[in-house]
Amino acid sequence: MGGLVTITVGRLAPGDQYDQHMLDRLFANTLYPTGLEFSRVEGYPNSDAGILLIPGRYWAGREAEISVAISRYSWCLMIVTSDEESLFDTGKIDHPAVRFWIQTPRVGRDYGTARFIPLGFPPYFDHLEPATRNLDVFLAGQCTHQRRKEAFAALEPGERRRIEPTTGFLQGMDPAEYVRCMSAAKVAPAPSGAVSPDSFRVWEALEAHAIPVADDVSPTYDSRGYWRMLLGDPPFPILTDYSNLPGWIDDLLADWPRNANRVTGWWLTRKRLMRDWLRADLAALGADVPDLPRVTVLVTCSPIPSHPSTHILEETIASVRERLPRAEIFLVFDGVRPEQEARRADYEEFIRRALWLADHEWGNVLPFIHDEHLHQGECARRAVEAMTTPLLLFMEHDTPLTGEISFADIAATIEAGDANVVRFAHEAAIHPEHRYLMLDTDPQDVRGVPMMRTAQWSNRPHLASVAWYRVLLEHHFPPGLKDFIEDRCYGPLVNAVDRDGVMGWLGWRTWIYTPEGNIQRSFHTNGRAGENKFD
C-alpha cells in the first residue's frame, strides 16, 4: 500500500464547535482509523475536491451561493451540522457529484440518499478515566422546556442518584465534574433538545459507557420515530411518556452491566460505521481511497478464573499492537456455558472493563458479544464472515506473541498461494514427539521465509487466508455444532496427510514459522489456570 491520501476538509464556520467535534475526531483518525489523512481549513477547500462542513442554520437561503462556490470541485462530500430546525435545503445544492451527511434530520423530511449522523459529544469527553459505577442515575442540565420538566419531575434524588436541573446552557456543574459523574453513572436519562429530540447527553452517555434513555418527543414538532430514523433499532430505551421513566430505570439497573455491555458494543460499531461510510462515499465520489491494513486480528475470549481482571487479555493485545499497530482487532466474547454459570457476573464485569480499554485506550477494536454460548468455532465463523481483509491472525485471549515476526513476508506467502495457514510456535524448537507430524526435516525457504510443512493443526496463534478459513469453518462447523477449532480440524488434517501424503497436505497448506535459532513466537499465559478443558 502506498502513502496515505490527504483529503481537504473545509469548514464554513469557526472551529471547536461542539456539534462538529465528533467529526473532528473522525478526521483526526481518533474516532476510528480511516486509512486517510485530512487537512482542515477555514472556508472552502483550496483543492480540486473535498469535504465541506456547513452549519446549516447560518447558511440556509444561501444554497445557490454554495453551489457556485463548489462548481470548481470534481466532487464534494457535504456535511450539514448545527441545524436543529432543518432550515438548510440540500435539494437546492446543484452539483453533479455531491453526497450529503445530515445531523439532526427532521422527521418527515425527504433527504434522498443522505446519511444521518450523530450530534456527538463535546471535547471534554475526549480523555475519560475509568470510574467506579457508583451512580445509578445521573441527569444534570437545563430544565427549560416541558419535556425536560417532565424528565426531572419523574426523577427522585437519592444516595446513588445525582439529579441537578439548571436554568441555561453551560450554567451547571463544572465540565470535569460532569464528565466524572457521567463516567460513574449506569443510566443517563437524556430529555430532548429545544427543537430536535437529539441532545449531546445521549452521545455523552454512550461515550462514557452509561446507558442513555432517549426522548422521542420534541417540544416543537411531531418527532416520534426520530431515533429509529437516525439509528435503525438502537439498543437503548426510547421514551415518549416520562411517567414510564422510573420503571425503565428499575429494569435497566436490574440487568446491568450485561445491558450496558451490549449498548457499548453497539456504540463501537457505530463509530466504525462512520469510518466505513466515509471511505465508501469518498470512493464513490472518485477519491483515491487506499486499502486498510490487510490483516484483521481475531481474539477469542471466554470465562476464566482470573476474571473480572483484564490483565491476561491486556498482555495479548499489547503483543499484537507492538507488531501490528495499525491492524484492526475483532474482540470476540463467547457466551457463558451452563457449566460456568457461577462465573457470569465476573465475566460480564470483565467484558465491561475490556470494552473500556477497547474504546478509550486500544482503539481500532470491533467487539462481538454473544449472549448464547456458541463455542470457539461458531464464534470464529461469525467474526470471519464480517472480515473484509484478505488475512487474519487468530489468537486466543491467553496466547501473546513474542519475538520478531516477519508479518509482511509471511503474508506474501499466503497471498501468493504457497500457504493457507502459518502457525507461530509456542516452544523453542519442534518437540521430538511432534516430529512425525512434520513433512520437512529442515526449514524450507518460501519467498525468503523459513517455514516447515506440518500435518499438525493447532489453534495457537496463526496467520491465515480469510477466504480459506471461511471454507474451513463452513466445512467443519455445520450450524449448531459447538466445539474448539483444533478439536475439529486436527484429525482431518492428519488423516489427509496419512492417506495422501503431500497431495493431502496441499488441501491444507499448513506451515510452522521456523526462523533460525529459537523458533518460539508465542506463549501461553494459562487462562484456565490448570482447570480441565471443557468439551
Side-chain angles (χ1 to χ4, degrees), residues 86 105 142 154 156 168 190 232 253 265 358 419 442 491 504:
S86 290
Q142 301 176 76
E156 297 262 345
L253 293 175
D442 297 300

Side-chain angles (χ1 to χ4, degrees), residues 44-300:
Y44 293 99
N46 186 21
S47 58
D48 61 358
I51 299 171
L52 191 62
L53 271 62
I54 300 175
R57 178 187 305 154
Y58 306 103
W59 285 80
R62 300 171 66 181
E63 293 85 356
E65 175 187 334
I66 293 173
S67 296
V68 171
I70 67 173
S71 62
R72 68 181 189 271
Y73 299 148
S74 59
W75 57 263
C76 182
L77 175 60
M78 191 170 293
I79 304 177
V80 182
T81 67
S82 310
D83 191 16
E84 282 189 286
E85 298 91 350
S86 290
L87 301 176
F88 190 86
D89 189 349
T90 57
K92 293 182 179 178
I93 296 296
D94 183 15
H95 193 281
V98 64
R99 291 196 173 199
F100 297 98
W101 287 14
I102 306 294
Q103 195 179 73
T104 58
R106 196 173 185 88
V107 174
R109 176 77 59 85
D110 182 7
Y111 294 95
T113 60
R115 301 192 192 273
F116 301 149
I117 62 171
L119 189 63
F121 50 86
Y124 47 83
F125 272 77
D126 278 354
H127 304 290
L128 299 176
E129 297 292 335
T132 301
R133 296 283 165 169
N134 54 15
L135 286 178
D136 287 343
V137 185
F138 173 60
L139 174 59
Q142 301 176 76
C143 187
T144 50
H145 58 68
Q146 185 59 32
R147 293 300 290 174
R148 297 198 172 195
K149 291 175 182 177
E150 292 174 12
F152 279 105
L155 296 170
E156 297 262 345
E159 183 180 354
R160 295 178 59 86
R161 299 180 173 216
R162 189 158 180 183
I163 314 299
E164 294 189 12
T166 65
T167 57
F169 187 56
L170 294 179
Q171 294 181 18
M173 63 177 61
D174 177 78
E177 175 67 4
Y178 181 88
V179 169
R180 190 199 69 76
C181 289
M182 190 64 83
S183 298
K186 295 178 180 178
V187 179
S192 69
V195 177
S196 170
D198 213 337
S199 70
F200 288 115
R201 189 167 288 100
V202 172
W203 314 104
E204 292 166 350
L206 290 168
E207 188 67 1
H209 297 189
I211 303 174
V213 180
D215 190 344
D216 213 27
V217 177
S218 162
T220 62
Y221 81 103
D222 185 359
S223 60
R224 293 167 195 257
Y226 174 85
W227 291 103
R228 288 183 173 81
M229 176 184 71
L230 185 72
L231 300 172
D233 187 18
F236 50 80
I238 301 167
L239 287 186
T240 57
D241 185 346
Y242 272 103
S243 67
N244 295 324
L245 180 57
W248 267 114
I249 290 173
D250 289 344
D251 289 347
L252 292 171
L253 293 175
D255 194 28
W256 192 92
R258 190 208 67 81
N259 49 5
N261 291 338
R262 277 60 180 175
V263 171
T264 297
W266 172 89
W267 175 229
L268 268 65
T269 66
R270 293 299 302 192
K271 292 183 180 183
R272 184 181 189 260
L273 182 62
M274 287 186 69
R275 187 277 308 266
D276 293 344
W277 283 354
L278 183 63
R279 289 176 54 84
D281 283 352
L282 292 176
L285 287 167
D288 181 11
V289 177
D291 290 339
L292 292 166
R294 300 180 69 75
V295 178
T296 299
V297 183
L298 170 57
V299 180
T300 60

Side-chain angles (χ1 to χ4, degrees), residues 259-454:
N259 49 5
N261 291 338
R262 277 60 180 175
V263 171
T264 297
W266 172 89
W267 175 229
L268 268 65
T269 66
R270 293 299 302 192
K271 292 183 180 183
R272 184 181 189 260
L273 182 62
M274 287 186 69
R275 187 277 308 266
D276 293 344
W277 283 354
L278 183 63
R279 289 176 54 84
D281 283 352
L282 292 176
L285 287 167
D288 181 11
V289 177
D291 290 339
L292 292 166
R294 300 180 69 75
V295 178
T296 299
V297 183
L298 170 57
V299 180
T300 60
C301 301
S302 57
I304 57 176
S306 65
H307 291 161
S309 171
T310 57
H311 74 275
I312 286 177
L313 177 62
E314 289 182 65
E315 185 172 7
T316 298
I317 298 297
S319 76
V320 172
R321 283 286 186 248
E322 181 181 353
R323 293 160 181 82
L324 294 170
R326 295 182 58 236
E328 185 175 33
I329 297 172
F330 280 15
L331 190 54
V332 181
F333 301 96
D334 194 6
V336 179
R337 62 169 66 235
E339 303 95 316
Q340 294 180 301
E341 184 61 34
R343 289 203 173 126
R344 183 178 295 276
D346 284 343
Y347 187 51
E348 288 291 354
E349 175 61 17
F350 159 76
I351 294 174
R352 189 186 73 81
R353 296 180 188 183
L355 290 174
W356 185 274
L357 293 168
D359 195 9
H360 299 305
E361 294 191 23
W362 299 332
N364 205 13
V365 175
L366 182 68
F368 293 75
I369 307 173
H370 299 292
D371 288 313
E372 177 191 355
H373 169 59
L374 301 176
H375 219 308
Q376 187 182 74
E378 182 62 20
C379 283
R381 177 162 61 177
R382 296 187 185 192
V384 171
E385 281 301 314
M387 290 182 183
T388 57
T389 56
L391 303 170
L392 68 89
L393 172 63
F394 186 99
M395 300 182 69
E396 295 172 333
H397 56 162
D398 56 353
T399 57
L401 304 172
T402 186
E404 292 188 11
I405 301 175
S406 303
F407 274 108
D409 295 334
I410 297 170
T413 70
I414 296 173
E415 295 200 77
D418 301 310
N420 289 324
V421 175
V422 179
R423 178 158 55 87
F424 303 113
H426 61 278
E427 294 177 317
I430 302 297
H431 196 285
E433 294 183 3
H434 298 161
R435 282 282 177 185
Y436 79 99
L437 292 167
M438 305 301 137
L439 278 68
D440 300 310
T441 56
D442 297 300
Q444 293 191 36
D445 185 303
V446 184
R447 301 179 188 272
V449 180
M451 305 193 299
M452 292 177 65
R453 295 173 298 172
T454 181

